[in-house]
Structures are given as C-alpha cells and as structure tokens.
C-alpha cells in the first residue's frame, strides 16, 4: 500500500525498497575478474596444459611451436617450464653445457621480488614452452606468476593469434657476444 501523504511516509517504516525492488548488478569488479583469470592460469599451469599447441619444423630455425586454436590477446598460452635454480647454479650449469656442441641454450634468467632466478629448460622434455622461437616482434610476452610460493614463467598472447600461426617472443638478449654467435637474435 502506498502512503497518501508525505507525513505518513515520514512516520511509516516503509522504505523505498518497499515500492521498488532492489536491483543488484551482475557485473564483476576488476579485481574479481583478475582473480578469476589468475586462477584459470594457475589451473592450466598445474595441469601442464599444452593441448592446443603443436611442434613444427621451420627452415633455418629448427623446431618451433604453432597454435591449433585461435588465441585472444591476454590468453595464457604455455609455461616456460624447467628447473628453477638460483644464479650460481645457473652459471655452473651453463659452464658445463658450453662443453657440448649439441646442447642448446634454454636458460631463462629473470628477477622476481628482487631475487634473480633462472629456469633451466635445457633437458629435453615433452614441455613445449622451451621450443618457442625468438622474434623481436613476438606475438607472446612473458609474465612471472607465483604459485604455491614459487615463481613460474608463463607466456601470454600479446595479440590475437590465428590457428596455424607460429608462436614466438622476444628473448631480450642483445649483447654483442650473443649477437655474434646467434645473429638471429637481431631479427
């Protein structure tokens, strides 16, 4: 029942919601959306999700990885997986690897929370992140994500990517010695 006068509204215990239903927004906050995305990526990492990727041979490069499904900018693609080691252990391993001509460099150095780490993906495994090739204009970018207190490297789509497209990211190494031995880093 609607009160007839302003005085009766003031003295009644009615509120505006008695006359108009409360509408609640179904929109999520930016923080909630980011948390859902983080949980989705964490689940993909912990389950070693790589189903939509395929190894392909590229002339002049060797093995590389293509996507077999369309990817949207911001999508998780793959983890750069390997042994997480400190810098001292990484340098020790690099010295050992340098004695073998048939061992490639799969050492990814990064900083997380002011501490230097390296993911050593040199050992051949069935994980595909280590096979993604370099391009200065890569369609992927690397992000660090902490899972269970451990930093992990993930590759995220930097743009929309069509099926059959080679995946690549910028290795970031522009040192003179690296460019001398690996001129493709300038491409």
């Amino acid at each position: 029942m609607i009160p007839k006068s302003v005085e009766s509204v003031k003295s009644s215990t009615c509120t505006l919601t008695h006359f108009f239903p409360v509408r609640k927004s179904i929109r999520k906050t930016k923080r909630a959306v980011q948390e859902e995305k983080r949980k989705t990526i964490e689940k993909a990492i912990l389950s070693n999700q790589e189903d939509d990727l395929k190894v392909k041979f590229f002339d002049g490069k060797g093995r590389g990885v293509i996507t077999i499904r369309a990817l949207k900018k911001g999508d998780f693609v793959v983890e750069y997986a390997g042994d997480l080691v400190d810098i001292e252990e990484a340098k020790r391993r690099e010295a050992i690897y340098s004695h073998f001509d048939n061992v490639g460099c799969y050492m990814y150095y990064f900083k997380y929370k002011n501490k230097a780490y390296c993911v050593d993906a040199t050992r051949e495994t069935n994980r595909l992140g280590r096979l993604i090739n370099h391009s200065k204009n890569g369609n992927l970018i690397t992000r660090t994500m902490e899972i269970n207190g451990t930093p992990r490297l993930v590759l995220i789509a930097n743009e929309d990517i069509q099926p059959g497209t080679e995946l690549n990211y910028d290795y970031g190494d522009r040192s003179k010695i690296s460019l001398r031995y690996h001129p493709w880093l300038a491409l």
Side-chain angles (χ1 to χ4, degrees):
M1 177 169 116
I2 300 175
K4 295 186 179 191
S5 71
V6 174
E7 288 302 315
S8 64
V9 169
K10 287 182 181 177
S11 64
S12 77
T13 58
C14 293
T15 63
L16 191 58
T17 58
H18 284 100
F19 305 109
F20 301 103
V22 176
R23 288 185 5 193
K24 294 189 177 188
S25 174
I26 58 170
R27 292 185 298 177
K28 298 175 185 172
T29 65
K30 185 176 182 179
R31 180 175 285 184
V33 170
Q34 288 173 336
E35 181 60 19
E36 280 182 9
K37 192 171 187 174
R38 189 195 67 73
K39 285 182 180 180
T40 300
I41 292 172
E42 182 176 319
K43 182 179 175 185
I45 290 168
L46 293 174
S47 67
N48 297 337
Q49 180 181 315
E50 297 181 349
D51 300 338
D52 298 327
L53 306 177
K54 183 178 175 184
V55 177
K56 184 176 176 182
F57 186 83
F58 293 92
D59 288 334
K61 295 183 190 180
R63 292 180 296 172
V65 178
I66 64 168
T67 178
I68 58 174
R69 75 169 173 94
L71 298 167
K72 295 282 186 203
K73 182 176 182 173
D75 283 354
F76 165 79
V77 178
V78 69
E79 178 184 12
Y80 189 90
D83 299 332
L84 181 66
V85 296
D86 62 27
I87 296 304
E88 293 76 29
E89 176 62 14
K91 295 295 183 188
R92 187 187 72 73
R93 289 182 181 197
E94 265 193 302
I96 293 169
Y97 300 153
S98 69
H99 297 293
F100 300 97
D101 291 336
N102 62 341
V103 175
C105 182
Y106 297 89
M107 308 289 280
Y108 193 117
Y109 291 90
F110 67 102
K111 280 191 173 186
Y112 183 70
K113 292 186 176 179
N114 295 320
K115 185 174 179 191
Y117 293 95
C118 177
V119 172
D120 179 3
T122 303
R123 186 173 46 88
E124 187 76 35
T125 68
N126 62 349
R127 303 300 303 274
L128 301 181
R130 67 189 291 277
L131 298 179
I132 295 178
N133 288 317
H134 163 80
S135 171
K136 279 175 56 174
N137 302 310
N139 52 19
L140 304 178
I141 53 174
T142 310
R143 294 285 181 248
T144 307
M145 183 174 181
E146 186 175 313
I147 299 177
N148 300 326
T150 302
R152 311 280 282 261
L153 293 175
V154 295
L155 295 164
I156 305 293
N158 196 30
E159 59 192 46
D160 291 347
I161 305 170
Q162 296 304 311
T165 303
E166 181 184 9
L167 301 173
N168 46 53
Y169 67 100
D170 186 352
Y171 290 1
D173 190 352
R174 305 285 192 279
S175 67
K176 287 181 181 182
I177 193 160
S178 292
L179 289 173
R180 184 169 52 149
Y181 289 106
H182 310 292
W184 49 265
L185 285 170
L187 304 174

